[in-house]
Amino acid sequence: LIAPMCSTVKMRNSCRKLSIAWLVVALASSSQIVKCFDPAAPWTAPPGTSFPYKGLETNLDELARKQASPDKWISLMTFTGGIRRFGLNCLYSLAKYGNMPHYIVATFEKKSLDTCMQLNLPCFDATQMIRVQIEDGAHNFGSRESHAMWWAKQNITLSLLKQGYIVHGTDADVVFFRDVRKSYGHIFEKVWADGAFLTEEAGPGSPDDMNSYINMVNAGVYALRPSNRTFHFMEHWISGWEHMDQVWLNRIMGLSYMFCDSRASCSSLKRHHKAAFYRHPHLFPGTSCIQPLGANPCDTRRLYVHFLCTVGWNQKAKAWKEMDLWFVEEDGTPMWADGAEVQGTHNGTKHAFCPCPGIAWPNVDWSPTRRSLLDMVPGLSNVASSISSLFSKPPAALEDSSESLQSEDAEQRDSVQLQPRVGRHLL
């Protein structure tokens, strides 16, 4: 959990060691005042506070370098001023309860960027990455603007992956309950997956309709590790930018990625040069559509709650209130006694259940005896490869040196060398 907010402190000679959750943002010689800020709520920092990412709004490489964790994790959220409270609520829960203060906020037009900077957030101006003009509003699901922002998010993710970062992407209508890196890291360690997505609903829709709603996973929140397989998957995903990102994500399942739930099955997919993704459980029993949290809000199926299956920001705001999932006031003031310096309406009361203890999905199966379907049926891998080549082929840019399976260490070295041009895919 992020420790209590930093305050102004006097330093002598060199900076004394502070708590790991404190971010020291101005270090200098003896007797200088050093300003600190709470990474869960930098918008509450006093005037005159310096931020290490200030002035890096157009430099994604340097912004990521400043914001990433020492083990190269970074979170990415898209933002407009029209959903300001949702964005701040998400970031507050991400840093405070998800123990993930290492984030970047992407904006797409000047007014939203100005709002982002006024809030002292680590902002990235992604305006050049989209063709659709984005206004500073609350864009609803299915709008042309929201589609463009989602695709830009995936393009930024690819850029970060190719710089060697483990990327955690999130939408703004999400709240985090427990440690992000430990939960996803557990998946990566136990089943050796390349990434993780949320299990979604299957249907309705026709297999022949490229815009139909056939879902295996949700595209809003994910964690991806850098590897040649993941690069290939992301290139393939982005190639479908004319469709909704989630529709295309589910359409290409079996082509550039497949699902696995054990070390054996994930290793099998890697041998067949497919990205190996773990589908974590529904947010609620049998469904990921939003509903009451029930008697056990800290059920280990939940790392977070994402508002799914109902459209409209007013509906989302109502649900967050009913579920007690607002953590900040309209002006961004923290509402609960969870380490924030400024308290809101609850007058020092701790939140009912956040942060949740432990990690999400602790009982993932890592059995080395489980095998993927490709290995269980003789010749099936060859058939699958033939079918894949008939129906879809990744862009030519994907045909690189991955003909031979490289070790994870070698892929990590490759990922540092493959630096994409930001804005390569204008959406």
Side-chain angles (χ1 to χ4, degrees):
L1 184 65
I2 296 295
M5 182 157 178
C6 288
S7 58
T8 303
V9 292
K10 274 194 175 181
M11 311 301 292
R12 285 190 179 179
N13 300 320
S14 59
C15 180
R16 64 183 173 85
K17 187 175 181 181
L18 297 177
S19 167
I20 192 170
W22 289 12
L23 297 182
V24 179
V25 297
L27 301 178
S29 59
S30 62
S31 74
Q32 177 154 355
I33 299 297
V34 176
K35 304 256 186 184
C36 302
F37 66 93
D38 182 356
W43 51 89
T44 65
T49 302
S50 239
F51 298 90
Y53 42 76
K54 215 68 173 177
L56 300 178
E57 293 79 22
T58 60
N59 188 338
L60 180 61
D61 294 358
E62 188 62 17
L63 181 61
R65 191 182 72 80
K66 291 282 188 183
Q67 282 300 98
S69 67
D71 53 352
K72 300 204 75 173
W73 281 77
I74 194 160
S75 291
L76 170 67
M77 187 193 78
T78 55
F79 176 83
T80 66
I83 56 169
R84 167 186 160 133
R85 190 183 184 190
F86 282 94
L88 299 186
N89 199 62
C90 175
L91 294 174
Y92 186 87
S93 69
L94 175 66
K96 187 68 66 174
Y97 308 135
N99 196 28
M100 186 62 183
H102 311 283
Y103 58 82
I104 287 175
V105 179
T107 66
F108 305 94
E109 50 80 39
K110 187 179 185 305
K111 191 173 179 182
S112 293
L113 176 62
D114 290 345
T115 299
C116 182
M117 294 172 64
Q118 289 164 9
L119 292 166
N120 301 323
L121 296 171
C123 314
F124 172 60
D125 181 7
T127 305
Q128 79 278 15
M129 302 181 73
I130 56 174
R131 286 197 178 113
V132 175
Q133 185 174 355
I134 301 293
E135 295 182 357
D136 183 36
H139 303 293
N140 282 321
F141 175 90
S143 69
R144 195 160 163 260
E145 293 84 0
S146 63
H147 284 188
M149 289 191 292
W150 294 338
W151 280 122
K153 172 184 164 187
Q154 317 318 348
N155 198 22
I156 298 169
T157 292
L158 175 58
S159 294
L160 294 171
L161 284 169
K162 287 193 172 182
Q163 293 177 53
Y165 296 105
I166 301 170
V167 182
H168 167 242
T170 183
D171 290 345
D173 56 342
V174 175
V175 293
F176 292 90
F177 289 3
R178 47 173 42 105
D179 198 292
V180 169
R181 281 177 291 172
K182 286 184 179 178
S183 295
Y184 282 119
H186 177 73
I187 296 297
F188 297 155
E189 176 189 358
K190 291 298 183 183
V191 303
W192 297 345
D194 291 314
F197 287 84
L198 165 67
T199 300
E200 254 274 26
E201 316 312 310
S206 163
D208 299 320
D209 179 4
M210 291 300 287
N211 288 301
S212 67
Y213 225 72
I214 300 175
N215 292 325
M216 295 291 287
V217 288
N218 181 270
V221 184
Y222 52 75
L224 297 170
R225 302 167 73 189
S227 72
N228 282 335
R229 293 178 302 276
T230 316
F231 304 158
H232 294 180
F233 155 72
M234 287 301 300
E235 289 276 7
H236 195 185
W237 189 8
I238 291 171
S239 73
W241 63 269
E242 293 179 331
H243 307 279
M244 177 186 167
D245 67 334
Q246 183 163 304
V247 169
W248 191 249
L249 170 64
N250 285 278
R251 292 291 300 189
I252 64 175
M253 194 275 290
L255 302 178
S256 53
Y257 78 94
M258 290 183 73
F259 302 117
C260 59
D261 59 4
S262 67
R263 287 185 179 181
S265 59
C266 290
S267 295
S268 172
L269 295 179
K270 293 178 181 182
R271 286 196 299 272
H272 295 290
H273 308 293
K274 295 230 185 328
F277 294 152
Y278 178 80
R279 285 199 306 162
H280 68 75
H282 287 106
L283 300 177
F284 305 91
T287 182
S288 288
C289 293
I290 199 71
Q291 56 186 273
L293 291 170
N296 184 18
C298 283
D299 189 323
T300 56
R301 70 170 57 247
R302 298 188 196 103
L303 169 62
Y304 59 88
V305 165
H306 189 182
F307 193 102
L308 299 175
C309 305
T310 302
V311 177
W313 291 100
N314 289 336
Q315 288 289 94
K316 298 179 183 188
K318 180 181 177 183
W320 271 191
K321 182 176 181 181
E322 291 173 352
M323 299 170 74
D324 219 5
L325 294 180
W326 280 122
F327 305 121
V328 299
E329 309 279 10
E330 288 284 354
D331 65 356
T333 302
M335 297 169 64
W336 302 93
D338 49 17
E341 184 178 43
V342 182
Q343 299 302 329
T345 56
H346 296 286
N347 297 320
T349 304
K350 290 187 177 181
H351 190 269
F353 57 86
C354 283
C356 289
I359 62 171
W361 326 303
N363 298 320
V364 60
D365 183 5
W366 59 271
S367 168
T369 62
R370 300 189 65 184
R371 297 180 295 163
S372 93
L373 185 62
L374 292 179
D375 281 347
M376 292 170 65
V377 181
L380 183 59
S381 61
N382 294 332
V383 174
S385 297
S386 299
I387 293 174
S388 296
S389 64
L390 286 174
F391 285 93
S392 176
K393 187 176 182 180
L398 306 189
E399 299 174 0
D400 66 2
S401 59
S402 64
E403 292 299 323
S404 60
L405 187 63
Q406 301 180 27
S407 69
E408 291 297 323
D409 288 342
E411 289 179 332
Q412 292 286 356
R413 289 195 298 272
D414 290 344
S415 70
V416 176
Q417 297 169 5
L418 296 171
Q419 302 283 344
R421 293 174 63 89
V422 173
R424 177 180 175 187
H425 300 280
L426 294 175
L427 308 177

